[in-house]
Amino acid sequence: MSDDALADDVWRAMAAVVFDNRDAWKRDVIETTGLPFSRVRVLRRLAKRPMTAKEIAEAATMDAPATSVAVNDLEDRGLVVREVNPSNRRCKVISLTEQGRRVVASIERVEDPAPAPLARLSREELRSLEAILAKLSAW
């Protein structure tokens, strides 16, 4: 097996572990915020920095119409605000309001324990995985 094929297999396995074990957390976040998860995804990305609608669409893997609907809904709820982009007055930059920051903080407080298979790893295995993930995050 080539290194690329091995990397692809490892990526798929890693993604499966994460996706297969996030349902309870997603339900808790939806219950805590009262928002559809698509809105939560937008808020979490905006917590990192203000973005244009196009940047939000790319970051949240949404199409343009879905992004517009999500941003309109979040704006109606008082969670985001659109402002003229000072570097390009023809487009708007979307950012969190103070209320939006409070909602993001409530999302961060939702417990997200490690799934059982991860929790069963030895301390040494967890430290190795932690080091690998830190290396991946640095790229």
Side-chain angles (χ1 to χ4, degrees):
M1 176 181 292
S2 73
D3 287 350
D4 287 345
L6 178 59
D8 291 345
D9 286 349
V10 169
W11 172 251
R12 281 189 288 277
M14 186 171 61
V17 168
V18 172
F19 287 131
D20 292 348
N21 289 284
R22 295 293 281 197
D23 291 341
W25 175 80
K26 283 184 179 181
R27 277 192 303 276
D28 290 346
V29 167
I30 291 166
E31 185 176 311
T32 297
T33 64
L35 296 170
F37 200 75
S38 60
R39 306 310 190 261
V40 170
R41 287 179 27 228
V42 171
L43 290 176
R44 292 185 76 210
R45 278 144 184 93
L46 287 172
K48 295 175 185 168
R49 66 179 177 85
M51 297 182 191
T52 65
K54 182 177 180 180
E55 290 170 327
I56 292 169
E58 290 171 6
T61 61
M62 299 168 69
D63 61 23
T67 302
S68 292
V69 169
V71 170
N72 289 341
D73 181 38
L74 292 170
E75 188 175 39
D76 290 346
R77 294 172 188 259
L79 303 176
V80 302
V81 63
R82 288 181 172 110
E83 298 172 315
V84 174
N85 185 342
S87 62
N88 180 355
R89 299 190 60 76
R90 291 176 289 148
C91 71
K92 305 273 186 182
V93 173
I94 300 136
S95 58
L96 294 177
T97 62
E98 188 57 40
Q99 184 179 350
R101 283 188 278 285
R102 284 193 298 272
V103 170
V104 170
S106 75
I107 293 165
E108 298 304 319
R109 288 190 299 270
V110 173
E111 288 190 27
D112 190 16
L118 185 64
R120 284 194 296 265
L121 294 176
S122 70
R123 184 172 200 70
E124 181 180 314
E125 290 169 323
L126 288 169
R127 290 288 183 207
S128 294
L129 181 56
E130 181 182 47
I132 290 167
L133 292 172
K135 187 176 180 180
L136 292 174
S137 295
W139 284 330

